[in-house]
Amino acid sequence: MSLEYTSSEMMSVTAARALENGMTCFVGIGLPSEAANLARLTHAPDVVLIYESGTLQTKPDILPLSIGDGELCESALTTVAVPEMFRYWLQGGKIDVGFLGTAQIDRFANLNTTLIGDYKAPKVRLPGGGGAPEIATNAGEVFITLKHSKRAFVKDVDFVTTLGFGRDGKGRDNVPNIGKGPTRVITDLCVMKPDPDTKELVVVSLHPGVSREDVIDATGWDIRFAEQLESTPEPSAHELTILRELKARTEQAHAGA
């Protein structure tokens, strides 16, 4: 019997499965944090989660509101200074995966968290890059997770806050000491990976109940599909239970209960 789950739960479970046990992961707040902690609580108990504030091997019982959330420091193996975090751990090549979210992403997996509209007269100002630009260029590879819509998936981002593969797909060519960049994008509709040659994002897996037309309608460019398009495995009962318990604890804690 098929389990009942939401598209958001499907996205979180799929993103969590991308992490392998023993990986060292630099975690962004929001959806990446949810996925990374779900992985830690299910199939990857030895995944090492690191947050920008300097918390190493943190094991929060609830999802943090920000990198400065006390839960991260209290549950960490240790906490180091932010300069050490970036210079030694990240730039030193000790991070396997950077797990990021974003406001906008384009066909070459460039991320925009700076502004919407013209730079000199933006319609909306966004929070900025934080550590994402450094994570994207120093981690071994990058996973990105966000909800799928034409507002988020645009042909060209309004501002390149965080490098994917540049405006032409060649932004990482012949650049030494730089990671692989984005290797997968997980949404509530599908999973995408960059084409090996052009670096343009290609849909490699559709979530259950999602059609090609659903993805096309939610994407701001002429999205391509892999020749051997797969179907994403559904969440298990165990994964859904752990995820829902985590979110319930988080909601209760942040409500002050």
Side-chain angles (χ1 to χ4, degrees), residues 81-133:
V82 171
E84 178 182 335
M85 168 63 61
F86 280 89
R87 291 178 184 175
Y88 177 77
W89 292 93
L90 183 58
Q91 295 175 349
K94 302 182 187 304
I95 306 299
D96 297 319
V97 176
F99 218 141
L100 302 175
T102 187
Q104 270 189 342
I105 185 171
D106 66 18
R107 64 194 191 281
F108 293 120
N110 300 299
L111 309 183
N112 174 23
T113 52
T114 300
L115 55 86
I116 303 297
D118 181 75
Y119 185 81
K120 295 182 179 179
K123 298 177 183 178
V124 178
R125 291 190 181 276
L126 301 171

Side-chain angles (χ1 to χ4, degrees), residues 29 36 76 81 135 144 172 197 214 217 242:
I29 293 297
I135 295 169
I144 301 161
R172 291 176 181 265
D197 298 320
D214 292 332
D217 290 344
I242 297 300

Side-chain angles (χ1 to χ4, degrees), residues 96-253:
D96 297 319
V97 176
F99 218 141
L100 302 175
T102 187
Q104 270 189 342
I105 185 171
D106 66 18
R107 64 194 191 281
F108 293 120
N110 300 299
L111 309 183
N112 174 23
T113 52
T114 300
L115 55 86
I116 303 297
D118 181 75
Y119 185 81
K120 295 182 179 179
K123 298 177 183 178
V124 178
R125 291 190 181 276
L126 301 171
E134 289 77 17
I135 295 169
T137 51
N138 289 279
E141 59 183 317
V142 178
F143 299 160
I144 301 161
T145 186
L146 73 162
K147 292 188 175 181
H148 212 130
S149 71
K150 278 192 173 178
R151 185 167 66 174
F153 284 77
V154 296
K155 184 177 181 180
D156 297 293
V157 291
D158 293 338
F159 186 91
V160 179
T161 309
T162 302
L163 179 70
F165 296 101
R167 293 289 192 183
D168 58 0
K170 300 178 180 179
R172 291 176 181 265
D173 291 359
N174 303 315
V175 180
N177 304 318
I178 193 170
K180 295 178 183 177
T183 56
R184 70 185 73 192
V185 177
I186 302 120
T187 81
D188 50 345
L189 299 180
C190 64
V191 178
M192 300 177 175
K193 292 184 179 181
D195 180 276
D197 298 320
T198 67
K199 302 304 181 184
E200 184 172 326
L201 291 174
V202 176
V203 178
V204 297
S205 178
L206 291 176
H207 298 338
V210 176
S211 68
R212 291 179 183 233
E213 288 70 27
D214 292 332
V215 176
I216 291 170
D217 290 344
T219 307
W221 70 88
D222 293 332
I223 187 68
R224 294 166 49 209
F225 296 83
E227 291 185 7
Q228 295 184 339
L229 190 61
E230 299 180 356
S231 178
T232 314
E234 292 188 331
S236 68
H238 177 65
E239 289 168 323
L240 289 173
T241 297
I242 297 300
L243 175 59
R244 290 167 182 174
E245 289 177 349
L246 173 62
K247 296 185 76 170
R249 287 196 304 273
T250 300
E251 184 177 350
Q252 185 178 34

